[in-house]
């Protein structure tokens, strides 16, 4: 047996790429190089997706890298953001109509002989469109402020916001009772394109959601989310299918209500209280008039409005009709005509009212009342005369000022 000396000629051929294919549904970029590569030398940060040759528009830094055949081929798995942005740059549905190309920095890959590739620009990419429909996976509801966050299987196209059809999204009560649902049409979209979308419910929607939830103020049945087909779309303009019963993580309303302002109309005697959120006035006994006072200054307790009548339902405002005695006495202490010139104040102690989630007010409030002057003329309603004494008694539509008697 004899040995043969092999004259070795070094590999000096630079690696190139034979083909590149990108599946925009899965985000997998499959590359077939001209020869086997040393996978340890592949740097995805040197790869770029572009619309224009040599533009190097979008780096693939952060993408995943894998080879199942030791460098004969390799796959770069784009991040979700890279995949979605690539759709916008492609010639597939949702794209700008121009096909993608691949740009690679020089020495971005090396072969087994450690020959680095030259700078490669404008490498054609075979594009496969994204046909995978988006799905909603879960949602979170913050009942304190009405924020509803929906999470999706991929980036959703919210530009423009008209792409989202909120009328096809509803919070539903798990009790199964017909009509126990909150359609979110009219809510405010707070998000841009992404894998989640935050909605801010209107106050009416937030209150109804509390009532249908398993949280304080609710019916203990809990909420789910029904999303009908066509509510949202992905970057490739694929619309979602019907998805019903999506779990909703409920966070209770823990924010106590606050008194914002108050006004008093001396014509009708109606005291209107405005709160920071809806007040629970059903039944009216939840409004504790015995710890509400009308005062002539900020340091005195004032007069309780215990005998007044509440004429409101649940809402931002509570209307309280003062008795005639309370109305006339308040006018006497007011800053309007017939008053003492000083402002009238409303003093409300903690626990005087609660919100729909049963959070009681926790602060003591003393606020200046906006006063509306009494312009209503008094009317004589009837009268009686006692012929034994000669006394004539007249009855008027409101309290008459007889001090001094020259006023009559």
């Amino acid at each position: 047996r004899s040995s043969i000396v092999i004259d070795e000629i070094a590999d000096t051929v630079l690696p190139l790429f034979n083909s590149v294919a990108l599946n925009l549904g899965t985000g997998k970029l499959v590359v077939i190089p001209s020869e086997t590569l040393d996978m340890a030398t592949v740097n995805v940060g040197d790869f770029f997706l572009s619309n224009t040759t040599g533009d190097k528009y979008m780096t693939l830094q952060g993408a995943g890298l894998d080879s199942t055949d030791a460098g004969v081929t390799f796959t770069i798995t784009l991040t979700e953001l890279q995949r979605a942005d690539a759709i916008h740059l492609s010639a597939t549905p949702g794209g700008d109509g121009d096909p993608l190309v691949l740009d690679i920095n020089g020495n971005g890959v090396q072969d087994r002989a450690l020959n680095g590739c030259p700078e490669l620009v404008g490498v054609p990419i075979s594009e496969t469109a994204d046909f995978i429909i988006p799905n909603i996976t879960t949602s979170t509801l913050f009942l304190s402020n009405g924020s509803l966050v929906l999470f999706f299987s991929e980036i959703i196209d919210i530009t423009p916001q008209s792409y989202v059809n909120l009328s096809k999204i509803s919070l539903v009560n798990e009790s199964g009772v017909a009509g126990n649902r909150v359609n979110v049409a009219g809510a405010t979209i707070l998000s841009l394109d992404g894998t989640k979308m935050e909605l801010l419910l209107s106050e009416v929607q937030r209150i109804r959601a509390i009532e249908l939830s398993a949280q304080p103020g609710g019916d203990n049945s809990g909420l789910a989310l029904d999303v009908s087909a066509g509510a949202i779309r992905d970057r490739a303009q694929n619309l979602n299918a019907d998805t019903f019963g999506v779990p909703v993580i409920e966070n209770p309303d823990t924010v106590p209500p606050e008194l914002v302002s108050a006004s008093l109309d001396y014509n009708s005697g109606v005291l209107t209280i405005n709160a920071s959120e809806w007040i629970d006035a059903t039944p009216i006994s939840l409004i504790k008039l015995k710890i509400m006072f009308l005062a002539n200054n900020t340091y005195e307790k004032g007069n309780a409005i215990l005998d007044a009548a509440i004429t409101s339902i649940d809402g931002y405002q509570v209307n309280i009709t003062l008795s005639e005695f309370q109305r006339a006495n308040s006018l006497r202490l007011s800053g309007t005509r017939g008053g003492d010139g000083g402002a009238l104040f409303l003093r409300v102690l903690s626990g005087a009212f609660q919100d729909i989630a049963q959070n009681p007010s926790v602060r003591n409030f003393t606020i200046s009342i906006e006063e509306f002057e009494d312009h209503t003329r008094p009317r004589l309603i009837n009268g009686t005369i006692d012929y034994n004494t000669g006394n004539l008694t007249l009855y008027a539509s409101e309290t008459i000022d007889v001090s001094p008697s020259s006023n009559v």
Side-chain angles (χ1 to χ4, degrees):
R1 300 174 64 179
S2 60
S3 298
I4 299 174
V5 177
I6 298 176
D7 186 13
E8 298 179 334
I9 301 174
D11 176 6
T12 58
V13 177
L14 304 183
L16 303 174
F17 290 170
N18 287 340
S19 69
V20 180
L22 175 59
N23 186 317
L24 289 162
T26 62
K28 293 188 179 299
L29 182 75
V30 178
V31 180
I32 301 178
S34 58
E35 57 178 305
T36 303
L37 300 180
D38 182 351
M39 289 304 299
T41 69
V42 178
N43 180 10
V44 293
D46 286 322
F47 288 66
F48 303 87
L49 294 177
S50 304
N51 261 149
T52 304
T53 296
D55 191 35
K56 297 183 179 179
Y57 180 78
M58 185 175 74
T59 177
L60 299 188
Q61 183 69 47
L65 177 66
D66 181 53
S67 176
T68 59
D69 49 19
V72 176
T73 62
F74 65 92
T75 300
I76 298 174
T77 302
L78 308 186
T79 66
E80 175 58 18
L81 180 59
Q82 290 169 344
R83 184 194 70 84
D85 285 348
I87 291 173
H88 268 338
L89 297 173
S90 73
T92 65
D96 60 8
D98 294 323
L100 287 163
V101 294
L102 184 66
D103 296 332
I104 308 99
N105 287 335
N107 215 40
V109 300
Q110 296 179 6
D111 62 16
R112 292 288 179 86
L114 301 183
N115 294 304
C117 69
E119 181 181 32
L120 301 172
V121 294
V123 177
I125 296 176
S126 175
E127 299 174 346
T128 299
D130 174 14
F131 296 112
I132 300 173
I133 64 172
N135 292 310
I136 178 171
T137 56
T138 188
S139 61
T140 301
L141 177 60
F142 299 90
L143 291 166
S144 287
N145 64 355
S147 172
L148 174 63
V149 183
L150 285 64
F151 296 88
F152 303 99
S153 57
E154 58 177 297
I155 288 178
I156 299 303
D157 196 347
I158 313 178
T159 309
Q161 291 185 353
S162 58
Y163 280 173
V164 181
N165 189 343
L166 293 181
S167 68
K168 296 188 175 185
I169 303 175
S170 295
L171 290 163
V172 296
N173 186 264
E174 292 181 344
S175 66
V177 177
N180 279 2
R181 59 196 300 114
V182 183
N183 187 269
V184 302
T188 302
I189 300 174
L190 302 179
S191 303
L192 301 175
D193 294 6
T195 56
K196 67 179 182 179
M197 177 175 66
E198 182 178 4
L199 306 177
L200 185 63
L201 302 182
S202 69
E203 180 68 0
V204 173
Q205 291 169 334
R206 183 185 75 90
I207 294 304
R208 186 58 177 151
I210 291 174
E211 294 172 339
L212 299 178
S213 74
Q215 304 306 314
D219 64 3
N220 295 318
S221 295
L223 290 165
L225 199 68
D226 282 356
V227 183
S228 298
I232 51 97
R233 66 185 69 193
D234 63 16
R235 285 277 182 86
Q237 306 305 296
N238 297 305
L239 300 174
N240 68 292
D242 286 339
T243 309
F244 301 139
V246 177
V248 175
I249 300 172
E250 299 176 353
N251 293 275
D253 176 6
T254 58
V255 178
E258 299 206 350
L259 183 61
V260 175
S261 64
S263 64
L264 177 53
D265 186 340
Y266 289 112
N267 293 282
S268 61
V270 174
L271 173 67
T272 301
I273 296 175
N274 299 296
S276 58
E277 58 177 299
W278 272 37
I279 297 303
D280 193 348
T282 310
I284 59 175
S285 59
L286 293 174
I287 309 296
K288 298 178 175 59
L289 296 180
K290 64 182 179 180
I291 51 176
M292 296 184 181
F293 307 88
L294 294 171
N296 201 26
N297 50 55
T298 60
Y299 51 85
E300 292 180 346
K301 185 176 182 179
N303 301 312
I305 56 176
L306 183 58
D307 295 330
I310 299 172
T311 57
S312 293
I313 58 175
D314 298 353
Y316 279 113
Q317 293 185 338
V318 175
N319 291 323
I320 302 169
T321 302
L322 303 181
S323 67
E324 174 57 20
F325 174 79
Q326 292 168 333
R327 184 197 71 85
N329 189 57
S330 298
L331 191 152
R332 182 176 58 82
L333 301 175
S334 74
T336 67
R337 184 179 56 173
D340 62 6
L344 194 65
F345 293 88
L346 176 65
R347 185 185 303 277
V348 178
L349 302 185
S350 63
F353 52 89
Q354 68 180 41
D355 63 17
I356 303 299
Q358 302 176 5
N359 296 303
S361 57
V362 297
R363 292 178 54 197
N364 294 329
F365 300 94
T366 301
I367 61 173
S368 177
I369 296 175
E370 182 183 8
E371 299 174 321
F372 295 93
E373 189 171 288
D374 180 4
H375 294 293
T376 304
R377 293 177 179 272
R379 295 178 294 106
L380 292 177
I381 299 174
N382 57 41
T384 61
I385 186 169
D386 188 336
Y387 288 109
N388 295 292
T389 62
N391 289 336
L392 175 63
T393 303
L394 300 176
Y395 296 89
S397 59
E398 58 179 299
T399 302
I400 300 302
D401 188 355
V402 295
S403 300
S405 58
S406 58
N407 286 341
V408 180

